[in-house]
Amino acid sequence: MADSVLFEFLHTEMVAELWDHDPDSDPTPGGQKPSLSVLEGIGFRVGQALGERLPQDALAFREELDVFKFLCKDLWVAVFQKQVDGLRTNHQGTYVLQDNSFPLLLPMASGLQYQEEAAKFLAFPCGLLRGSLHTLGFRSSVTALVAALPACKFQVVIQKP
Amino acid sequence: MADSVLFEFLHTEMVAELWDHDPDSDPTPGGQKPSLSVLEGIGFRVGQALGERLPQDALAFREELDVFKFLCKDLWVAVFQKQVDGLRTNHQGTYVLQDNSFPLLLPMASGLQYQEEAAKFLAFPCGLLRGSLHTLGFRSSVTALVAALPACKFQVVIQKP
């Protein structure tokens, strides 16, 4: 039994439990469903905590691009047992992490009608990235995009101080 | 970064999120706080799913005691990276699993005043045991007892058909 299975089962059940049971609930002022921001918040705090467990030499690099390479490789392997498949940047603080087969989306059936459904599985990893970056000294906003399941992109915009 | 850390962080944050924010909320007819049964239910479904991933030879033994030895060793190692420290039974369907240093209680400070607080960290593992047993063909009820943190006991009563 791989530990990754345990994490994925727990994440799946947590999403099922926290996902908004009330279809009439009002979105927050930001337009997000409350359950999405709750899942994102859990991801953020787990990411913060994981960030503090990163090997010490990771804390030595402070170049943005090095930090992202680290997240794409070490963080992703630690959590999802695979590396991010592609990393692009405009060299102005925006980064796009491309995952061609994102583990948390694999159990979903593919099809256009499921893309909206995918949002609930992407809130936690968005928070995870934001929390890890926070511990590494970067404030950011993170959004996820799904083009064709189970592929997805995470867009990270670093907030300049 | 061990995967176990990831599971423990996620469990901690899930408990923090699901723990009853409303001190005035009514207990269920069974007298349990709603958030406890929610956590227990998540544990049950994770345990069910893990049970299905158990090595095939595990499904061959159907003697109760063998199943419990398996849970105390293989399941516990898979989830908590340690074995249960002691197993006792009255040979009439009641089993007590003793863990002298239960990982989900380790972050808690010790002290009598924290014992009630410990309940929220024991609901998930109670469900985990009940769910794993369910997949293995046994209906049960599981309760947890804390004598001195971070030690605890899980009492399992097998329900005869």
Side-chain angles (χ1 to χ4, degrees), chain B residues 43-56:
Chain B
F44 179 79
R45 292 189 298 278
V46 171
Q48 271 190 310
L50 278 180
E52 288 165 7
R53 292 286 190 109
L54 296 178
Q56 286 300 318

Side-chain angles (χ1 to χ4, degrees), chain A residues 1-7 9-11 13-14 16-18 38 41-42 45-46 49-51 53-55 70 74-75 77-81 124 128, chain B residues 1-7 9-11 13-14 16-18 38 41-42 45-46 49-51 53-55 70 74-75 77-81 124 128:
Chain A
M1 272 190 284
D3 289 335
S4 61
V5 169
L6 179 64
F7 163 73
F9 288 162
L10 183 56
H11 177 266
E13 295 303 332
M14 182 182 70
E17 189 57 50
L18 287 171
V38 166
I42 292 175
R45 294 190 297 279
V46 171
L50 278 181
R53 292 286 190 108
L54 296 177
F70 182 80
D74 298 74
L75 178 74
V77 167
V79 179
F80 303 115
Q81 283 73 49
F124 176 85
L128 192 78
Chain B
M1 270 192 285
D3 290 334
S4 61
V5 169
L6 179 65
F7 164 72
F9 287 162
L10 183 55
H11 177 266
E13 295 302 331
M14 183 182 69
E17 188 58 50
L18 287 171
V38 166
I42 293 175
R45 292 189 298 278
V46 171
L50 278 180
R53 292 286 190 109
L54 296 178
F70 182 80
D74 298 73
L75 178 75
V77 168
V79 179
F80 303 116
Q81 282 74 47
F124 176 87
L128 191 78

Side-chain angles (χ1 to χ4, degrees), chain A residues 113-141:
Chain A
Q113 69 272 37
Y114 297 111
Q115 289 195 11
E116 196 177 336
E117 188 85 346
K120 64 184 178 187
F121 296 111
L122 296 172
F124 176 85
C126 280
L128 192 78
L129 280 169
R130 195 167 67 83
S132 303
L133 280 164
H134 188 269
T135 296
L136 292 167
F138 296 93
R139 287 178 172 270
S140 62
S141 61

Side-chain angles (χ1 to χ4, degrees), chain B:
Chain B
M1 270 192 285
D3 290 334
S4 61
V5 169
L6 179 65
F7 164 72
E8 286 176 25
F9 287 162
L10 183 55
H11 177 266
T12 301
E13 295 302 331
M14 183 182 69
V15 169
E17 188 58 50
L18 287 171
W19 189 243
D20 214 340
H21 296 296
D22 178 7
D24 298 325
S25 70
D26 294 326
T28 58
Q32 217 182 27
K33 295 187 93 175
S35 42
L36 277 187
S37 54
V38 166
L39 287 166
E40 204 270 349
I42 293 175
F44 179 79
R45 292 189 298 278
V46 171
Q48 271 190 310
L50 278 180
E52 288 165 7
R53 292 286 190 109
L54 296 178
Q56 286 300 318
D57 60 340
L59 300 173
F61 52 65
R62 289 292 184 196
E63 289 295 318
E64 269 180 24
L65 190 57
D66 289 336
V67 169
F68 275 91
K69 286 178 181 170
F70 182 80
L71 295 178
C72 288
K73 192 177 168 190
D74 298 73
L75 178 75
W76 229 245
V77 168
V79 179
F80 303 116
Q81 282 74 47
K82 74 183 289 289
Q83 294 186 25
V84 167
D85 297 301
L87 172 65
R88 299 172 73 172
T89 178
N90 67 352
H91 298 287
Q92 296 187 331
T94 298
Y95 296 82
V96 176
L97 289 66
Q98 165 87 35
D99 195 317
N100 296 330
S101 180
F102 187 56
L104 298 183
L105 295 178
L106 283 179
M108 291 188 67
S110 58
L112 279 174
Q113 70 272 36
Y114 297 111
Q115 288 194 13
E116 196 177 336
E117 188 83 349
K120 63 184 178 186
F121 296 111
L122 296 172
F124 176 87
C126 281
L128 191 78
L129 280 168
R130 195 168 66 83
S132 302
L133 280 164
H134 188 269
T135 296
L136 292 167
F138 296 94
R139 288 177 172 270
S140 62
S141 61
V142 183
T143 49
L145 298 160
V146 178
L149 289 165
C152 66
K153 292 177 182 176
F154 296 93
Q155 176 171 297
V156 183
V157 179
I158 298 290
Q159 290 165 7
K160 300 298 175 192

